[in-house]
């Protein structure tokens, strides 16, 4: 007889995963570190629906009426803003966390569809620069791999103040992934755990950020757009401060965003969902009179073209994907099911990216494993996925009567739950009620 048949009921507070976590902490005296991102259920884009056109709105015909998807990023101050063919970009993921083959594949896939990819912590690799038509260089608190020459080689610079999976916390790269090449790029010893700082060493507030942005503009002769990335927490104020400091583009990363490795307590309990952050960011930009002039990129759990369309309807100019891009490359592929089982995991569940034993060859520095990933083929897979995201968002925009995906607006959305309605600031479906807003 099973547990339910014997009248036993699992505790919602102390479920089996929670009990196992307590027992692990008691046995080891250490907290859990993992990758991937939040696993708890959170309000997300699935809690919103799009209002397609019928009588009161006029849809566009997909076979004869245009719906554009291009986006310009960074035209506030930069001499050479980015012109992308799709609003879906690739988020920063480091060489070290990812193999060189994976970084090359990201560049190949992004370039094939006319979008950008991003370096991540640890510096720029030659493979990534060579295969990325448009490459954004991340400038992080660790300064790992940072040098002015690479800054000038990049097409834009992203000053990272926080990440959605760990706002207020630094990253981790465990020793088993610190190969000689990774160590050389980061000017640190091989085989030793590397922790990234949680804040930049040469400033303590927004005034110092303005000075740093000025320095970066001078280094790059005012050619490159300057992004500022924040983890979604106090989004309204952070966006206003980023704009005041001179950002051309603001990136807001929600708590569903992935990470190579950090404390699980951060992943599951720090930050806010991107659904709640986008309206705050858009409001801040609107109040400053710079919405669509200072572009907003959002990330953290983007999976489908519907997610892209809904994010843009809430006020984003573009989105960034990380975890989804790795899955498109082949991460957690069922063909390696037996090897994932041997690691104590399973295809679709593997999140121990910090261990460096990824059989797909993506989140590893092991030369035998990383050689399994063909960057040309993986790049094609990513390009296919990016095209599907773009076409799906385009299809939704046409259904709403929009000739450009950026013309989507909150009026095109309703919410399925009171929580989502309150966070996204759109009406509950079937009503004109937005929780918290006076009628």
């Amino acid at each position: 007889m099973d547990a339910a048949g014997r009248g036993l009921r699992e505790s919602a507070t102390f479920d089996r995963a929670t009990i196992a976590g307590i027992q692990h902490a008691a046995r080891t005296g250490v907290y859990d570190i993992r990758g991937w991102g939040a696993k708890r259920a959170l309000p997300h884009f699935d809690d919103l629906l799009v209002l397609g056109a019928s009588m009161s709105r006029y849809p566009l015909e997909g076979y004869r009426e245009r719906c554009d998807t291009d986006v310009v990023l960074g035209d506030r101050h930069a001499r050479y803003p980015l012109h992308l063919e799709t609003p879906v970009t690739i988020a920063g993921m480091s060489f070290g966390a990812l193999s060189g083959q994976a970084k090359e594949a990201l560049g190949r896939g992004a370039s094939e569809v006319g979008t950008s990819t991003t370096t991540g912590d640890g510096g720029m690799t030659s493979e990534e620069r060579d295969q990325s038509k448009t490459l954004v260089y991340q400038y992080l608190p660790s300064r790992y791999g940072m040098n002015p020459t690479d800054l000038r080689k990049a097409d834009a610079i992203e000053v990272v103040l926080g990440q959605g999976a760990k706002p207020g916390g630094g990253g981790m790269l465990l020793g088993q992934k610190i190969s000689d090449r990774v160590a050389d790029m980061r000017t640190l010893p091989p085989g030793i755990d590397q922790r990234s700082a949680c804040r930049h060493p040469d400033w303590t507030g927004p005034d110092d950020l303005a000075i740093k942005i000025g320095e970066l503009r001078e280094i790059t002769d005012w050619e490159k757009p300057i992004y500022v990335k924040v983890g979604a927490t106090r989004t309204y104020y952070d966006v206003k401060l980023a704009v005041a400091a001179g950002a051309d583009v603001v990136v807001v990363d929600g708590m569903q965003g992935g990470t190579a490795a950090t404390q699980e307590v951060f992943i599951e309990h720090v930050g806010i969902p991107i659904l709640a952050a986008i309206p705050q960011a858009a409001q801040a930009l609107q109040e400053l009179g710079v919405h669509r002039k200072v572009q907003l990129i959002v990330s953290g759990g983007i999976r489908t073209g519907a997610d892209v369309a809904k994010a843009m309807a809430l006020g984003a100019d573009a989105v960034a994907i990380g975890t989804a891009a790795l899955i498109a490359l082949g991460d957690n592929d069922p063909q390696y099911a037996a090897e994932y089982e041997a690691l104590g995991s399973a295809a679709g569940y593997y999140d121990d990216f910090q261990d460096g034993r990824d059989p797909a060859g993506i989140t590893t520095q092991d030369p035998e494993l990383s050689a399994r990933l063909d960057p040309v083929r993986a790049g094609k897979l990513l390009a296919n996925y990016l095209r599907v995201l773009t076409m799906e968002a385009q299809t939704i925009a046409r259904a709403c009567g929009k000739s450009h995906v950026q013309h989507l607006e909150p009026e095109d959305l309703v919410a399925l739950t009171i929580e989502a309605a309150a966070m996204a600031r759109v009406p509950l479906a079937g009503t004109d009620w937005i929780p918290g807003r006076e009628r």
Side-chain angles (χ1 to χ4, degrees), residues 195-279:
R195 291 179 178 248
S196 299
C198 65
R199 67 184 190 191
H200 289 258
D202 49 357
W203 77 72
T204 57
D207 292 338
D208 293 333
L209 174 59
I211 294 171
K212 180 56 65 175
I213 288 176
E215 290 177 1
L216 294 171
R217 293 198 194 282
E218 291 296 321
I219 291 171
T220 58
D221 198 24
W222 288 74
E223 293 181 349
K224 323 290 184 181
I226 307 294
Y227 299 11
V228 172
K229 178 177 180 178
V230 296
T233 53
R234 298 172 176 84
T235 308
Y236 172 82
Y237 299 104
D238 289 344
V239 169
K240 283 201 167 185
L241 290 170
V243 173
D248 297 304
V249 177
V250 179
V251 183
V252 177
D253 191 23
M255 71 174 292
Q256 291 104 320
T259 181
T262 197
Q263 301 98 317
E264 184 168 36
V265 70
F266 256 108
I267 295 173
E268 299 289 358
H269 299 285
V270 181
I272 63 174
I274 196 61
L275 190 68
I278 301 173

Side-chain angles (χ1 to χ4, degrees), residues 99 106 110 118 257 262 270-271 273 290 301 308 331 339 343 348 354 374 376 388 408 418 423:
S99 65
L106 292 173
T118 311
T262 197
V270 181
V290 295
V308 176
D331 182 45
E339 293 184 64
L343 294 173
Q354 72 275 14
D374 177 357
V376 176
V388 170
L408 289 162
I418 293 175
M423 290 181 183

Side-chain angles (χ1 to χ4, degrees), residues 43-44 47-48 275 414-426 435:
H44 199 42
D47 297 310
L48 302 180
L275 190 68
V414 293
L416 287 172
T417 67
I418 293 175
E419 291 83 1
M423 290 181 183
R425 304 179 188 179
V426 299

